[in-house]
Amino acid sequence: MSRRLDHYSYNEALIAEANRSRHDCQTEKQRSNNCDYSEEAKRVGLDDFFQKAQDKYYELNPNKIATKPGVTPAEVKKRYHSYDPAPGRIKLITDEAAKLANDIKNMPINMDKLTLREKRAVAQLLHWVEHGFPFIMPYSYDYYVGDWMMGADLFCMGPICAVPSEVQKSLMHFKPSTVSEMETLKDKFKEIKQTFDQFVENLKLGVAAGMVRTVEECKAGLHGLKNKYRDVAVNGPAGIYEASFIKPFLASDFMSAFKEKSEWQAKFGKSASDSLREFALEYVGKPIDYMLRFIEKEHIPHCAPDSVSTGLGSLPLLYVFVNGSQTSQTTTQELPTGEKLNGRDSYNKLLAHFTTTSQTADEIYNLGEKMRDKLYEEVLDLAKKITKENDPYLAKLKFIKLINSSSMFYSDRDIPANESDANAHKVCSNVKDAARYCPNRTAAMNNWFDHTKQVRRYLL
C-alpha cells in the first residue's frame, strides 16, 4: 500500500472509497496539498492504522484474499481458504473487529485537524469494524447478533451466497502442473464441502437456540439460495458441471499445464480431468444439493408460524416448533459459548448499520409516525390538485383509485398465478427462460426498463 492517501486502496468491503483518483494529484504541488496525509494524521500514524486494519481483514477472511489490492497469485495460493462459517471462526472475527473499533475510539486524534477525506475514512472504517467486517450487508457476520444460525434471506445477501464469486476468483490461481499441486487443488475443493456442511450445522444450532425465521421467511431464504445455486437446484448434484463458478475449472485449458498425467493415472486409477469432475461433484455439487434438501425437508418444518414470530425482535423462541405446532422441547436461547440471545438488541445492532446512528427501532418508528403526520397534509393537497376535487374525503378516494388503476402499473393485465408461484421461481430465473415461461411478467419488466430509460433522458 502506498504511503500516500491518494494511492491507498480500501478493500471491497469498505462502504465507500476514501481515496482520491490519481489525476487529482498530477503536480507536486497538488500532491503535497491534496494527497498527503495531514500533520495530525501523520502524528497518530493513521496510514499505519489503515494498513493494520486491511491486513487484519485479510488475515481473518482468507476466503477474500483474491480481492486484496495488489495481491499476487503466489499469495492467493498460500493464503486462500474457503469461507468458514464455524461459530468459533465467526466469533473470532467479530471479537477482532471489535478490538479495532476500540483502537479507533481510543486513538489520541484531534478530528478537527484532519482533512475532510481523512475524517470520512476514519468514520467509514469505524462503521465497518463495528459490524464485524461485513461485505455490503451486515447479515450473518456478527457472532453476537445470532442471525448466522438462521439461514439465508430472499436476496441471498449473506456470506454463504458470496462463495461462488470467491471460489471463481481464487481457484484460478491453483492451475496444477504436478501431482502435488493437483492434490492441493483437491484439498481446496474439500474445503468448499466443509463450508456448506457447516452452514447446515449452524441451522441446527439455530433451531436448538430458538433462532429461526418464520415459515414464509424460511421459504424465501430457500428461494434465494436456489437462485444463487440454480444449476444444482434444477438439475441436482450433477448440475454443478454447468455452474458458472465451477465450469472454468473443468475446461481443458485449466489442465493445459499439467505435466504428470501418467503419474496421476497410476496413483489414482483415473485421469486428472475425470478426477476434477469428481472433485466438483463430491465436494461442491453434492454438498449444495444436500444443503438445499435439508432446508426444504428438515429445517423449514422447524420455522415459526407468523402468529408466533414477528421477526428478529421476537426471538429467540422459547420452544422448538414442528410443522407449525409448539413442542414441549425448550430452546437454549443462548449462543454456543453461553451468551444470552436478545432479538431486540440484535435488531437494533443491524439497524445501526443502515442508519449510522444510535437510534433504536422504537425511536425510528416514532420518527416515522411524526413524518407521516407531517407529510399527510402535503399528500392530501397533491390529491386535490390531481383529482381536481376540493372535498378532502372525495379527493382521497379518487386519488387512491387512480394510483391503483391499471395505468399505474407496467402490466396491462394481472400477472398469471403460474408466473408467480414456486415453479416460476425455478423456471423463470434467467432472461431467456423468463421470456418463454413468464411472458406477461417479462413484458411488464421490459415496460419498466423503457420507462426508466425515458426518465434518465430527462435527468441527463
Side-chain angles (χ1 to χ4, degrees), residues 17-80:
E17 192 71 41
N19 62 327
R20 189 186 303 275
S21 58
R22 292 174 184 264
H23 66 75
D24 288 334
C25 303
Q26 294 298 318
T27 69
E28 192 61 35
K29 181 178 180 180
Q30 286 176 318
R31 187 178 299 279
S32 176
N33 292 341
N34 296 334
C35 300
D36 272 349
Y37 282 97
S38 66
E39 290 303 315
E40 178 66 7
K42 292 176 182 178
R43 183 184 69 81
V44 298
L46 192 59
D47 56 344
D48 290 331
F49 189 83
F50 284 154
Q51 182 67 68
K52 173 185 174 182
Q54 186 185 80
D55 291 345
K56 178 60 69 172
Y57 174 74
Y58 287 111
E59 173 192 328
L60 295 170
N61 297 277
N63 50 304
K64 296 288 188 182
I65 190 62
T67 66
K68 178 184 175 182
V71 73
T72 64
E75 186 176 8
V76 175
K77 291 179 71 173
K78 180 180 179 180
R79 298 180 61 182
Y80 169 73

Side-chain angles (χ1 to χ4, degrees), residues 415 419 431 433-436 438-447:
I415 302 295
E419 294 190 22
V431 175
D433 289 343
R436 179 179 180 184
C438 297
N440 294 285
R441 185 174 289 279
T442 299
M445 180 182 69
N446 287 330
N447 288 337

Side-chain angles (χ1 to χ4, degrees), residues 105 112 422:
K105 293 174 182 177
D112 292 334

